[in-house]
Amino acid sequence: MTDLMQNNTVLPENNTDFDTYREEFEADNIGLYLASAHTPDKPIVSINSDFSFYPASVCKLFYLACFYDKVQNRELEADDEDWRAIHNMVAQSSNDATGYILNRLCDTSTGAKLKEAKLQPWLEKRKTVQKWLATHSPNIPQDQYQLYHSTFDESPYGRDKQAREVLGGNLVSPFACAQMMASIFEENTFQPEYQQQIKQLLSKNNGDNRFAADGFDQVTPFIGGALPENANYWSKAGWTSSVKHETAYITLNKQDSYVVSIFTKGEELVEDEYLFSELTQRLLASLNANG
């Protein structure tokens, strides 16, 4: 399928495992990225990995990293409520907690619409995570992410709605998410205590963080549903009625580590309960093909 489309498509030689999804790839409805965690910018599989999707709750991975970086650098003094919110934002994918954390990071507040004179400085503050990421992860192209907003159970109101109208919605690529996940797991990114806390929040091992705040299973319908028994798995998933994504850090045989992103959009793909398992199995097969 290497003649399929973009020049940046990467597959093991003679790999035809993904031909079944040719039309969806050509329509930019599926994005895939797989790389060794030790060389996350060198793909084993990359299809539409630079295409920016509405991320749903996958954006929380970036807010998590930004939060811990600011706490570690003493730019934010976290209290008990912050820690409660960061736990619920990631482990349970709470949208209420996400709004709270984003406002803490940006020094903004949610509320009624603002007049132009007050709206512009408020919008500038809401670019905090965007600016942080450009500095923290210069290896991620800036045209592959827009991270200005919280997630919502329904929709934004007031100044949050204004922000979406002016700045556009959140966007992020499978590549950007894989790089962020790899960075989180790098030995020197966070001090050991913080890194252990982050890993526990992202863990999907031994029943950890399996269910979201709304009761949705964050493992079986995603990458975790197709992993072998000897795998360990940390991830952040996101889903709406029109998108379903996940970025994960996976270890196989307790030694080989990989970062993987699977992004899909369109109601038909979202409702396909077997799609993530099938794509995951094909990605794992690519590891064998890659030697």
Side-chain angles (χ1 to χ4, degrees), residues 143-163:
D143 62 356
Q144 292 189 29
Y145 58 86
Q146 287 186 180
L147 295 164
Y148 304 122
H149 314 293
S150 178
T151 50
F152 298 91
D153 291 330
E154 182 197 343
S155 66
Y157 289 88
R159 64 195 66 172
D160 286 291
K161 184 171 182 287
Q162 287 178 291

Side-chain angles (χ1 to χ4, degrees), residues 60 83-95 97 201 213:
K60 298 168 187 177
W83 294 117
R84 182 173 78 94
I86 205 74
H87 174 274
N88 291 347
M89 179 184 77
V90 182
Q92 300 178 8
S93 207
S94 164
N95 292 331
L201 291 172

